[in-house]
C-alpha cells in the first residue's frame, strides 16, 4: 500500500493506506483522531466536518490520497492550548449540545463560515446543513452569532 503524508492539527503524519480509503478512517482508525464522527459516510449528515487547508471538508467522502501534502484541522486542533476557540466558547455559553455527537462537525462548519462571513445572516447559518438529531438549531444559530460578535 502507498504512504500518504499530510499534517493533522499541526503534526506531520504518514499513513499506509489504499488511495481510496476515506480520510475519516485514516484519521480515526490509523491515527486515533476521534473528533470527526462517522454519521452517514455519504456527505449528508456532515458529523465529520473538518478543515482541509483551511476550508470545510467532509473526510467521510474524501480519499486519503487527496490529502497528501495538505493540512487537516479537526476539532482537536481548534483550541489554542487551554484557550478555546471563540466558537467553542459560544457553544458552551449557549448550552448548544444535547447528545453532542454532531457538535465537532457543527463547530468546524461554523468556524469555516465565520472565516468567510464575519456577520452571517440566519440564512447563511442555516446553509451550513450539518444535521443535529437533537434539534438544537436555534441554539446553534445563537452560538454562531455570539462567536461572530466576539471575533
Amino acid at each position: 500500500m502507498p504512504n500518504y503524508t499530510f499534517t493533522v492539527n499541526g503534526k506531520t503524519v504518514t499513513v499506509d493506506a489504499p488511495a481510496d480509503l476515506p480520510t475519516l478512517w485514516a484519521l480515526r482508525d490509523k491515527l486515533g483522531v476521534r473528533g470527526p464522527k462517522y454519521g452517514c459516510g455519504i456527505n449528508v449528515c456532515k458529523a465529520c466536518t473538518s478543515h482541509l487547508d483551511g476550508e470545510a471538508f467532509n473526510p467521510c467522502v474524501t480519499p486519503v490520497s487527496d490529502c497528501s501534502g495538505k493540512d487537516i484541522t479537526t476539532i482537536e486542533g481548534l483550541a489554542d492550548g487551554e484557550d478555546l476557540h471563540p466558537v467553542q466558547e459560544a457553544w458552551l455559553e449557549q448550552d448548544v449540545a444535547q447528545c453532542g455527537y454532531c457538535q465537532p462537525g457543527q463547530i468546524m462548519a461554523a468556524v469555516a463560515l465565520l472565516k468567510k462571513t464575519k456577520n452571517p445572516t440566519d440564512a447563511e447559518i442555516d446553509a451550513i446543513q450539518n444535521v443535529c438529531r437533537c434539534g438544537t438549531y436555534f441554539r446553534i444559530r445563537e452560538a454562531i452569532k455570539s462567536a461572530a460578535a466576539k471575533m
Side-chain angles (χ1 to χ4, degrees):
M1 278 191 280
N3 287 324
Y4 299 98
T5 301
F6 46 93
T7 303
V8 177
N9 300 325
K11 180 181 176 187
T12 301
V13 298
T14 300
V15 295
D16 181 27
D20 62 349
L21 180 74
T23 301
L24 180 62
W25 301 124
L27 291 170
R28 291 183 61 83
D29 294 347
K30 295 191 174 279
L31 300 171
V33 178
R34 301 287 187 206
K37 304 297 186 213
Y38 175 78
C40 67
I42 58 172
N43 196 26
V44 172
C45 76
K46 303 187 186 309
C48 64
T49 303
S50 299
H51 295 175
L52 184 63
D53 286 344
E55 299 287 327
F57 88 116
N58 295 98
C60 71
V61 294
T62 304
V64 70
S65 58
D66 287 0
C67 297
S68 190
K70 297 184 179 179
D71 182 43
I72 296 174
T73 304
T74 67
I75 191 75
E76 291 91 343
L78 195 56
D80 184 12
E82 295 293 318
D83 296 326
L84 294 178
H85 187 279
V87 173
Q88 291 172 305
E89 289 178 354
W91 242 249
L92 293 172
E93 290 166 3
Q94 297 296 323
D95 197 25
V96 172
Q98 281 188 14
C99 82
Y101 194 81
C102 68
Q103 298 312 297
Q106 291 273 4
I107 290 169
M108 296 304 288
V111 169
L113 171 65
L114 292 174
K115 281 183 181 178
K116 292 180 180 179
T117 306
K118 300 296 180 199
N119 201 9
T121 64
D122 286 350
E124 290 168 321
I125 293 169
D126 294 345
I128 288 176
Q129 295 184 339
N130 287 58
V131 175
C132 174
R133 290 185 176 163
C134 298
T136 64
Y137 296 108
F138 176 79
R139 293 194 310 248
I140 290 166
R141 188 182 298 131
E142 293 305 305
I144 293 171
K145 289 177 181 180
S146 174
K150 292 178 183 181
M151 297 171 67

